């Protein structure tokens, strides 16, 4: 719900990207920030060797879609953007998946690498 509340448009997902990076870092991932010269892009890496598991995390919002978290139209006054495509869920679930895979690897002593790719501006911004 924090990413939902931030509702940051493409290339301006400063709070969303920081939150996701912090969660990954707190769970043992090494974080590379500002990937490809994009301040809100990141790659979080856990482990080493093969196989390499890549997970894409999106977190950008769309302009003009500010909406209360209810099933009927209920715009949020004064908020210019919102999550119309579920990126607040997709990015969070992708980060959670990466963390859970890393925990399994640690517990079962499984070798390999998990990479979570923080993807800004996916919606219309070519952030991928």
């Amino acid at each position: 719900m924090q990413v939902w509340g931030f509702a940051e448009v493409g290339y301006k997902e400063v709070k969303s990207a920081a939150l996701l990076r912090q969660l990954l870092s707190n769970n043992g991932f090494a974080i590379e920030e500002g990937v490809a010269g994009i301040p809100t892009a990141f790659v979080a890496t856990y482990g080493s060797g093969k196989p390499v598991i890549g997970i894409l995390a999106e977190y950008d919002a769309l302009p003009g879609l500010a909406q209360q978290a209810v099933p009927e139209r209920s715009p949020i006054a004064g908020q210019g953007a919102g999550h119309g495509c579920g990126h607040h869920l997709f990015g969070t679930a992708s980060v959670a998946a990466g963390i859970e895979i890393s925990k399994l690897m640690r517990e079962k002593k499984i070798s390999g690498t998990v990479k979570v790719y923080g993807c800004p501006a996916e919606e219309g911004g070519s952030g991928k």
Side-chain angles (χ1 to χ4, degrees), residues 27-110:
N27 284 276
F29 282 75
I31 308 296
E32 179 185 357
E33 297 182 43
V35 173
I38 303 170
T40 55
F42 66 87
V43 178
T45 304
Y46 178 86
S48 63
K50 294 183 178 178
V52 178
I53 300 168
I55 303 171
L56 182 66
E58 299 170 358
Y59 35 86
D60 60 318
L62 296 168
L65 292 182
Q67 166 71 23
Q68 299 289 337
V70 295
E72 64 274 342
R73 182 162 162 60
S74 182
I76 300 172
Q79 184 172 316
H83 287 282
C85 294
H87 292 183
H88 65 296
L89 298 172
F90 183 30
T92 304
S94 295
V95 166
I99 291 169
E100 289 305 311
I101 293 168
S102 74
K103 287 179 182 178
L104 178 68
M105 290 170 65
R106 200 167 28 254
E107 291 168 8
K108 303 290 184 181
K109 299 185 183 348
I110 299 170

